[in-house]
Amino acid sequence: MPSPLRTVDPVRLVARRVELGLSRAALAAQAGVSTRMIFFYEEGRHTPTSRRLEQLATALRCKVEELTGGPRGQETLVDLRYAAGLTLERVAELLKTTPAGRELSVSAPKVSALESGGQVTGRLWQDPEATGRLIGPLARAYGVPVRMVLDAWLRTRPEDPAPVLSDKAKQAPSRAALATWDALNERQQVYLGEVMRDDRMTATEMWMRRLQRLPVPKAAEWRRLPLALRAAPSVAGYTRLQERLRQRGVHDPGVGSTVHALERRGLLVVSEDSVDHPAVGEVGRVLVEITRRGRAAARAGLGEPREPDPAPHLLSEWLWGVVARVASAEPAGLADDQLAGRSLFFIGVGYRGRSGAQPSRGFVDSVPVMAPGGTHVSEYRWRLTQLGLRHVAEYLHVYRDLYPRVNTTELEAITGNTP
């Protein structure tokens, strides 16, 4: 059996034993090992196997991770296995009962290579979609969320392609979305449905531009759809969205009241800008953007399955906004007093929420800045960890589509991406 990749923290082991008032002999009896072996563990001269580590934790009435001393938000794959008290062989057995495990021909040596960052034999282990199908089974084996396994994977194997997680299945429309749709009059329903269709058409156009390696504006820009020009249609013509509404027989002087009624319900956002028109010169333009609530209502009313919630490895809009702020401050970092509150319990290294909650994702850390000459620490600044940088680089384009209102203008410099 391969040697464990991490050692128990002797200081933590001794501290916990003393805290409980146990002698080495008493701990040895409860853990099923010799007193001499406890002495070796506490001296750091021997490393317990994952099974022994679990027995020690049980005897000391604590979690395995409390003995290994791994910083919260910095867990690797071996940390998750140790915390679950599983051997390499047991993990391999559990994975081989799943389609993904059989597809990748999982074995104890392969799990060991995976955890050590070494090369794993087998062609499919280089396929991000194949390894992505293994994340869920690993999460179930270790009893942790999917996002913890993915983060640990990326920390353990920073040079490998990120595993690709499959999209969630489409879900039936929610009752709230249906109620919102039913509360609209027929004309408002037509407007909202056509705005959603135009948004989809524009999204497809942006996707095609990406395939052709053409410049693509930020989602916050292209999702603002031209509705009307502040000029006579006989001169300036109609926008694409107006033409769609005309075909439905609802484009009339009441356009303003209809759109603003949808805005008051939180289904659309209305704004204005100006463009240079070849026939009339600079002219004002009315723009509309469908909100997530508006899209959900339109999908429900038109009998379409609702969009899946953000994937489990992605951040909420609130947390993504915080990460984007820190990322925008790279490489100097964000001043210590500019980041506080509950977000740190979800993304800060060393943080954990309420008792029993999972550790944070460890995307940001407080880093000391030395004074000139290196004589002392002058201040602390918040910076992205290596995993935080990797997460931003991997999923920036996804977040831009998902949360277009979050400002990500400054992030290309640290990710190498282009807008």
Side-chain angles (χ1 to χ4, degrees):
M1 177 176 176
S3 299
L5 298 181
R6 284 194 54 199
T7 61
V8 67
D9 185 340
V11 174
R12 289 171 178 258
L13 179 58
V14 174
R16 182 60 179 167
R17 177 176 62 78
V18 172
E19 180 182 7
L20 295 179
L22 297 175
S23 65
R24 285 176 178 158
L27 176 58
Q30 293 185 34
V33 299
S34 68
T35 304
R36 183 179 179 83
M37 189 57 68
I38 294 295
F39 174 80
F40 285 156
Y41 291 158
E42 293 186 350
E43 290 291 312
R45 294 165 59 182
H46 280 267
T47 298
T49 64
S50 58
R51 189 184 301 277
R52 289 289 191 213
L53 189 56
E54 184 181 29
Q55 292 171 336
L56 282 171
T58 300
L60 292 170
R61 300 195 291 278
C62 66
K63 295 182 178 179
V64 168
E65 62 181 348
E66 294 177 42
L67 299 180
T68 60
R72 294 169 178 173
Q74 290 292 315
E75 296 81 6
T76 62
L77 288 173
V78 73
D79 293 328
L80 299 185
R81 179 170 63 81
Y82 265 58
L86 300 177
T87 64
L88 292 167
E89 288 77 8
R90 180 56 180 158
V91 172
E93 288 175 8
L94 292 172
L95 294 180
K96 282 189 287 190
T97 64
T98 68
R102 291 191 293 270
E103 179 184 33
L104 290 165
S105 301
V106 170
S107 64
K110 288 184 179 181
V111 175
S112 178
L114 181 70
E115 292 179 346
S116 64
Q119 183 177 358
V120 186
T121 58
R123 176 181 55 83
L124 286 178
W125 284 91
Q126 309 306 315
D127 180 354
E129 292 189 357
T131 55
R133 290 190 285 273
L134 195 64
I135 300 296
L138 275 173
R140 290 190 292 274
Y142 296 151
V144 299
V146 164
R147 56 93 170 165
M148 280 190 69
V149 175
L150 180 64
D151 290 348
W153 186 298
L154 296 181
R155 290 190 192 96
T156 303
R157 309 184 67 83
E159 303 302 323
D160 288 3
V164 176
L165 302 187
S166 60
D167 293 334
K168 289 185 177 180
K170 300 291 185 178
Q171 304 173 47
S174 69
R175 293 181 179 179
L178 280 170
T180 300
W181 176 265
D182 291 339
L184 303 178
N185 62 37
E186 184 177 354
R187 193 163 179 278
Q188 292 167 346
Q189 291 175 349
V190 172
Y191 263 76
L192 187 61
E194 291 303 329
V195 171
M196 183 182 73
R197 291 187 179 97
D198 200 64
D199 178 83
R200 283 179 176 169
M201 186 179 298
T202 306
T204 301
E205 292 168 356
M206 296 302 107
W207 176 72
M208 293 179 68
R209 290 180 67 87
R210 285 194 184 95
L211 288 182
Q212 298 170 19
R213 300 186 180 279
L214 296 174
V216 178
K218 295 188 290 292
E221 297 175 2
W222 62 256
R223 287 198 182 277
R224 298 167 65 215
L225 309 172
L227 173 64
L229 298 173
R230 300 282 191 193
S234 58
V235 179
Y238 294 102
T239 66
R240 183 172 71 184
L241 187 49
Q242 281 179 315
E243 289 290 1
R244 296 175 67 92
L245 293 169
R246 280 160 54 84
Q247 292 175 13
R248 298 293 302 274
V250 295
H251 180 249
D252 57 34
V255 58
S257 61
T258 301
V259 168
H260 287 294
L262 293 171
E263 183 179 38
R264 286 192 297 272
R265 293 175 179 269
L267 308 179
L268 294 179
V269 175
V270 182
S271 59
E272 293 194 27
D273 69 357
S274 59
V275 293
D276 189 22
H277 192 281
V280 297
E282 186 173 350
V283 61
R285 185 173 62 166
V286 179
L287 306 169
V288 291
E289 178 184 353
I290 190 167
T291 65
R292 294 189 71 185
R293 184 164 180 256
R295 190 176 289 108
R299 282 180 173 275
L302 298 174
E304 300 180 4
R306 73 186 186 191
E307 294 176 314
D309 295 327
H313 61 292
L314 298 179
L315 297 168
S316 67
E317 185 170 11
W318 163 53
L319 291 175
W320 168 240
V322 176
V323 169
R325 279 181 57 212
V326 179
S328 297
E330 291 287 341
L334 197 65
D336 185 65
D337 60 357
Q338 292 184 20
L339 185 59
R342 288 192 53 77
S343 63
L344 293 175
F345 290 98
F346 299 96
I347 60 173
V349 169
Y351 284 81
R352 182 196 292 273
R354 65 187 183 279
S355 177
Q358 298 293 349
S360 80
R361 301 194 68 172
F363 287 168
V364 304
D365 197 6
S366 183
V367 178
V369 177
M370 302 302 295
T375 56
H376 63 281
V377 175
S378 62
E379 63 173 326
Y380 285 84
R381 299 187 73 85
W382 291 102
R383 295 196 58 192
L384 293 179
T385 61
Q386 286 301 310
L387 179 64
L389 284 166
R390 178 79 182 273
H391 188 87
V392 172
E394 290 284 349
Y395 304 112
L396 176 60
H397 68 288
V398 177
Y399 282 122
R400 279 180 164 160
D401 287 345
L402 194 59
Y403 310 130
R405 295 185 177 281
V406 176
N407 183 11
T408 58
T409 307
E410 306 297 327
L411 302 193
E412 287 78 28
I414 66 168
T415 65
N417 293 345
T418 56

